[in-house]
Amino acid sequence: MTAQGVASQTGSGPEPPNTPLNQGRPHSARMYDYFLGGKDNYVADREAAAKVLTLWPGVMIAARTNRAWMHRAIRFLAAERGIRQFLDIGTGIPTRPNLHEVAQGIAPESRVVYVDNDPIVLAHAQALLKSRPEGRTAYVHGDVTEPEAILASPDLTEVLDLSQPVALSLVSLLHFVPDEWGPYDLVQRLVDALAPGSFLVLSHITPDFDPEATQKTVQVYHSGGIQGKIRTRDEVERFFTGLELVEPGLEVPHRWRADLAETDSHVETGDVTDEEVSFWAGVAQKS
């Protein structure tokens, strides 16, 4: 399990920007950073990550495959669908190339707004999420459980024109939103605010391929105070209700438009199996 940008720790709402970093307990963003090979994590994160690795040895492959898929999806939207606005909720600790670097590598004028509720992400965002001069980036301290607050943020509205198409990125995020928080309603409220022609970019962990490993992994996260719910293919597909999935539809990340993977030289995953990855991923358009 990975990702951020949601009230994933014990509690029901986003943490304010001045919240201590809580180094003594694991955090999903910092564990994801560890799985990606980053250095912005603490002992509690590494200890929890080590437990996950004993249960799901492929979790590092899953994290890196999922990120490589995100890069392909963003390149596809920028190059083939002409999207120039991106809203990334659940940004996590920046790991280059970041979403805006991928989009602006295709179209330098692209505009990107990042959203997360973790103060450590804010600290890194200020240093690393810098736009090319032709485009713009902004960071919003917010939580996916409060979509209206995100959409009304002046930092967002100064960068994105919501009357024009936007790609909404919810990558590796919603498995940190348990059913009692109304995840389908949250996604619908976000999508409803977007203009026709917008896209939803979404990936989600699943028990479909290795139920024992993924269910035990959830228990590790829960024991660390990180809430969530892994979902089956049908449950993930429900997030795309009312939208048109682009080919190849809902797919495991490593087979989603794999022909675009040749430029993903920054991610070395090699041959991977569905069991190792245990994710579903898709891109869909609002008509």
Side-chain angles (χ1 to χ4, degrees):
M1 293 176 76
T2 57
Q4 321 75 19
V6 63
S8 58
Q9 309 303 308
T10 303
S12 59
E15 299 177 85
N18 62 350
T19 299
L21 298 182
N22 293 314
Q23 299 177 18
R25 68 180 185 185
H27 192 286
S28 56
R30 298 193 298 260
M31 290 175 67
Y32 191 33
D33 174 75
Y34 177 83
F35 293 140
L36 289 173
K39 299 178 181 179
D40 297 301
N41 46 75
Y42 302 112
V43 172
D45 308 307
R46 294 190 287 273
E47 289 177 346
K51 292 178 183 178
V52 171
L53 280 165
T54 63
L55 301 171
W56 181 13
V59 65
M60 283 186 166
I61 293 174
R64 297 172 191 191
T65 301
N66 180 66
R67 189 160 183 87
W69 165 78
M70 182 273 284
H71 294 157
R72 295 200 304 280
I74 298 306
R75 286 200 304 271
F76 164 76
L77 291 174
E80 299 188 28
R81 296 302 177 94
I83 296 298
R84 298 295 181 264
Q85 300 192 112
F86 299 85
L87 173 57
D88 180 39
I89 302 179
T91 298
I93 297 169
T95 303
R96 286 179 167 165
N98 297 300
L99 188 152
H100 74 281
E101 293 170 320
V102 176
Q104 292 180 351
I106 301 294
E109 70 274 22
S110 296
R111 295 176 168 232
V112 179
V113 171
Y114 293 103
V115 180
D116 206 289
N117 75 336
D118 184 4
I120 196 173
V121 175
L122 172 61
H124 286 275
Q126 292 170 336
L128 297 178
L129 303 181
K130 300 296 186 183
S131 173
R132 288 196 182 188
E134 302 94 328
R136 289 191 67 182
T137 61
Y139 177 87
V140 173
H141 185 88
D143 196 284
V144 71
T145 60
E146 298 177 346
E148 287 76 21
I150 292 172
L151 296 166
S153 168
D155 290 323
L156 182 147
T157 56
E158 288 177 5
V159 174
L160 301 182
D161 178 0
L162 296 183
S163 70
Q164 299 298 315
V166 174
L168 169 63
S169 172
L170 301 176
V171 173
S172 195
L173 172 68
L174 292 167
H175 42 247
F176 292 108
V177 182
D179 288 340
E180 55 266 32
W181 293 1
Y184 298 105
D185 176 65
L186 293 171
V187 173
Q188 190 64 56
R189 284 151 63 187
L190 287 163
V191 171
D192 284 349
L194 303 181
S198 294
F199 287 86
L200 174 61
V201 182
L202 186 151
S203 67
H204 198 296
I205 194 175
T206 183
D208 291 350
F209 304 110
D210 193 345
E212 182 177 1
T214 50
Q215 293 288 0
K216 288 182 177 179
T217 295
V218 169
Q219 294 171 11
V220 173
Y221 277 82
H222 285 177
S223 67
I226 302 171
Q227 302 185 55
K229 165 73 182 295
I230 59 176
R231 295 181 172 93
T232 65
R233 189 184 196 283
D234 287 346
E235 290 173 315
V236 176
E237 193 166 28
R238 185 180 162 193
F239 286 112
F240 296 98
T241 299
L243 306 176
E244 182 179 356
L245 280 159
V246 302
E247 291 294 333
L250 191 63
E251 183 57 278
V252 287
H254 47 290
R255 286 201 292 274
W256 191 94
R257 295 186 175 259
D259 57 303
L260 301 178
E262 59 185 20
T263 55
D264 275 325
S265 58
H266 50 276
V267 180
E268 298 293 339
T269 57
D271 295 328
V272 301
T273 67
D274 294 354
E275 290 79 10
E276 288 172 321
V277 177
S278 289
F279 265 79
W280 290 114
V283 176
Q285 186 172 29
K286 178 179 179 179
S287 60

